[in-house]
Amino acid sequence: MFIDINRSSSVSIKKQLYDSLTYKILNCELNFGEKLPSSRELANYLQISRNTVVEVYEQLIAELYITTRKGSGTFISNKKKCNFAKPLPLHTVYTTEKTNRLNLIAGAPDLYHFPKQAWQQATRRVLNKSGTEIYGYGDPNGYLPLRQALQKYLNTHKGIKCCPENIIITGGTKDAVRLIAMSFKGRYKNLITESPSVKFVPKIFRSLCYNISPIKVDRIGMVTADLCAEDKSIIYTSAAHQFPFGGTLTIERRHQLIDFAVKHDHFIIEDDCDSEFRYRGAPVNSLYQICSDYVMHIGTFSKTICPSLRLGYLVLPAKFSEITDQYTETLGNPPGTIVQAIVNDLIRTGDYEKHIYKMTKIYKAKNKAITDGLNREFAGKIRINGEHSGLHIAVEFSDYRLKMSDKEIFKQHNLEVQFSNEFATGKTGSASNRLILNFAHLTHPEITQAIRQLKKIYKILTA
């Protein structure tokens, strides 16, 4: 009986022996009733410890792969052939493709400047000063001190006046959208959504059998003049920095949207993923600030700190608490309380605000580098949108309409990009003359390189 043991493998010898024997049994290389070598014989043959073989045999007996007969030996007891795939060779190394391609896909913040020192200090303070409550399952609505800190932060920086009871800590924007969709299912039937917009929003609502009504977006944001009366609906918008076009909804359109929602008893999801980073002009009013009875405000720490936290928050009108409570009890799954406590510490000490201030200066410089570079290289041939805030911009060509097949040309020239029509819902908002370019995670040399490559690609496409 041949069994390959790789002594240089990181996989233990016991696991290698177990895997080899179960594979041979399940694929009938060892047949029902066939006698196995004794533990001593197999150990001598493989030059391994007899105790290792005994432990593997005992495990196989417990799982009914083999059986022992007193005075006769150990035999195969499995009768069924399963055709299991053969285990990968023990020397196999998992690798990921490495390329020199610059990734300009929207969403990634600058992780090089993650606030390591502040995070470490906050972690020590939390672990040294907190009680045992941070080690438990926690409140499904989120760690109360964090919700209290957010209440003050939102009031100061976004003009949002709410109570901690109105705030739910979520596992990010997607988690918040799913919670809303589940909470309103049966009461509301439609989703009115910007198009183009983030892909997962219509997908989540569609999976719960909502009707989807797309509304087109221009350079400013949702075209509120196109809103039509529907049955009770949820309206999704990213008014502060529209994704992906980058527009900021004017105060006139904001009031048009809110008036429409109030008149028809609709409710608005306000997705505010990256408006903390503003490079020109004063911060804009939150829709929640204007009309807290009809707006659900979603925020995230994925852009301001880092995506791996999987941490966000949802601010609800007070009258929704009973509706959502039944779902947070069963569906609420905020990140671990320790992580929430650390973020709470960052907010309370002012380190969070300092980090945002620092990153705003860094992103502003990168924003200027990419917009100045593009305007210089494509003078009169492009129009840039969304450059006043956020982590990405939208670039519109004046004399070329992008085709999905063009993406291969971008890849051949080492650029990974997105086109605006990738985010369209239905037929509206399907114009494909815009590139969506994330700049936040790039270094200044990478920004220069990306612009140079874009110029080469543009010449090929328009030749």
Side-chain angles (χ1 to χ4, degrees):
M1 179 175 61
F2 176 75
I3 293 176
D4 184 22
I5 297 293
N6 184 350
R7 299 177 193 277
S8 62
S9 172
S10 60
V11 180
S12 69
I13 290 176
K14 184 165 73 173
K15 183 69 167 66
Q16 291 183 49
L17 178 58
Y18 174 85
D19 287 345
S20 293
L21 288 172
T22 53
Y23 171 80
K24 290 177 182 295
I25 294 169
L26 291 171
N27 287 275
C28 295
E29 290 184 25
L30 295 171
N31 296 310
F32 174 66
E34 186 173 340
K35 186 176 181 180
L36 289 174
S38 70
S39 58
R40 188 184 303 279
E41 290 171 338
L42 188 56
N44 289 337
Y45 170 71
L46 296 175
Q47 292 295 292
I48 62 176
S49 165
R50 184 186 176 194
N51 287 339
T52 298
V53 179
V54 169
E55 288 178 16
V56 171
Y57 274 13
E58 288 176 348
Q59 180 65 31
L60 294 175
I61 291 170
E63 296 178 12
L64 304 182
Y65 283 105
I66 62 177
T67 187
T68 58
R69 299 175 194 167
K70 191 172 182 179
S72 299
T74 304
F75 299 85
I76 305 298
S77 60
N78 185 75
K79 296 183 180 181
K80 185 177 180 181
K81 184 176 182 179
C82 298
N83 293 320
F84 272 28
K86 190 172 183 178
L88 289 170
L90 294 171
H91 61 272
T92 298
V93 177
Y94 291 94
T95 60
T96 55
E97 181 185 3
K98 291 185 178 180
T99 69
N100 294 321
R101 192 175 297 154
L102 280 176
N103 188 340
L104 278 70
I105 300 298
D110 184 340
L111 300 180
Y112 179 80
H113 290 96
F114 175 81
K116 290 181 183 177
Q117 185 175 358
W119 184 269
Q120 290 169 348
Q121 291 170 348
T123 302
R124 283 195 293 269
R125 285 192 294 267
V126 166
L127 295 179
N128 290 335
K129 295 180 181 180
S130 298
T132 57
E133 74 280 356
I134 67 167
Y135 306 116
Y137 288 107
D139 188 329
N141 286 333
Y143 185 53
L144 180 57
L146 174 57
R147 288 187 278 143
Q148 291 169 335
L150 275 171
Q151 174 200 10
K152 295 178 182 178
Y153 174 84
L154 293 171
N155 186 21
T156 301
H157 295 279
K158 297 189 180 183
I160 292 176
K161 290 179 170 56
C162 63
C163 300
E165 292 74 22
N166 302 142
I167 300 174
I168 296 174
I169 305 301
T170 69
T173 301
K174 187 180 293 185
D175 191 39
V177 171
R178 186 181 295 112
L179 178 61
I180 292 170
M182 289 294 297
S183 299
F184 282 86
K185 186 181 179 184
R187 297 176 177 88
Y188 285 72
K189 298 179 180 179
N190 305 300
L191 172 72
I192 300 172
T193 179
E194 296 172 338
S195 178
S197 68
V198 289
K199 297 178 182 179
F200 62 76
V201 172
K203 284 184 178 179
I204 288 172
F205 279 87
R206 190 177 287 114
S207 71
L208 294 169
C209 300
Y210 283 77
N211 300 316
I212 310 298
S213 299
I215 297 292
K216 71 179 180 181
V217 175
D218 61 14
R219 285 174 54 81
I220 296 173
M222 178 186 283
V223 181
T224 52
D226 289 352
L227 288 166
C228 297
E230 303 266 1
D231 292 336
K232 286 188 172 183
S233 301
I234 306 296
I235 305 172
Y236 171 83
T237 179
S238 47
H241 186 236
Q242 201 278 332
F243 184 89
F245 282 2
T248 298
L249 208 60
T250 62
I251 191 64
E252 180 184 8
R253 288 198 190 180
R254 286 166 184 262
H255 281 292
Q256 287 176 349
L257 175 58
I258 289 169
D259 290 345
F260 177 82
V262 173
K263 179 180 178 180
H264 298 285
D265 196 27
H266 299 337
F267 290 95
I268 300 169
I269 298 175
E270 178 184 26
D271 185 353
D272 189 19
C273 65
D274 60 6
S275 72
E276 281 88 353
F277 305 115
R278 189 157 188 86
Y279 316 122
R280 298 177 204 173
V284 295
N285 290 338
S286 163
L287 294 176
Y288 191 98
Q289 177 186 4
I290 300 171
C291 185
S292 61
D293 287 340
Y294 284 85
V295 177
M296 298 168 280
H297 181 93
I298 295 176
T300 178
F301 294 99
S302 294
K303 305 297 186 290
T304 54
I305 301 179
C306 71
S308 68
L309 291 183
R310 296 296 181 191
L311 186 66
Y313 55 89
L314 171 61
V315 187
L316 294 170
K319 58 186 175 183
F320 286 173
S321 58
E322 292 183 4
I323 297 176
T324 55
D325 278 352
Q326 59 181 308
Y327 289 99
T328 54
E329 285 292 336
T330 54
L331 298 175
N333 187 29
T337 308
I338 294 176
V339 170
Q340 295 183 61
I342 294 170
V343 173
N344 167 59
D345 186 274
L346 291 174
I347 295 174
R348 290 190 179 279
T349 58
D351 286 334
Y352 179 65
E353 190 174 347
K354 290 177 185 175
H355 178 65
I356 290 177
Y357 178 74
K358 171 186 173 182
M359 295 311 301
T360 299
K361 291 200 296 184
I362 291 171
Y363 291 146
K364 183 177 182 179
K366 292 182 181 184
N367 179 290
K368 187 176 188 303
I370 194 168
T371 54
D372 286 355
L374 288 170
N375 283 325
R376 183 174 57 251
E377 294 294 332
F378 294 87
K381 297 176 182 177
I382 61 168
R383 185 162 63 172
I384 298 174
N385 207 45
E387 72 274 25
H388 298 323
S389 64
L391 309 183
H392 75 278
I393 57 173
V395 179
E396 180 180 359
F397 293 106
S398 59
D399 58 351
Y400 186 76
R401 190 177 181 84
L402 293 162
K403 303 182 293 291
M404 288 306 296
S405 57
D406 293 339
K407 291 198 76 172
E408 192 57 38
I409 296 175
F410 281 84
K411 288 182 179 179
Q412 291 170 5
H413 287 78
N414 295 321
L415 285 185
E416 194 77 44
V417 298
Q418 292 164 307
F419 298 165
S420 59
N421 62 342
E422 296 179 52
F423 303 97
T425 300
K427 295 181 180 179
T428 21
S430 59
S432 56
N433 59 338
R434 285 181 175 89
L435 276 175
I436 312 304
L437 304 178
N438 189 67
F439 60 83
H441 64 302
L442 300 178
T443 63
H444 283 267
E446 287 173 336
I447 289 173
T448 301
Q449 180 186 348
I451 294 170
R452 191 180 298 124
Q453 292 301 98
L454 281 171
K455 187 67 178 290
K456 289 181 182 178
I457 295 167
Y458 175 78
K459 288 180 178 179
I460 294 171
L461 295 176
T462 56

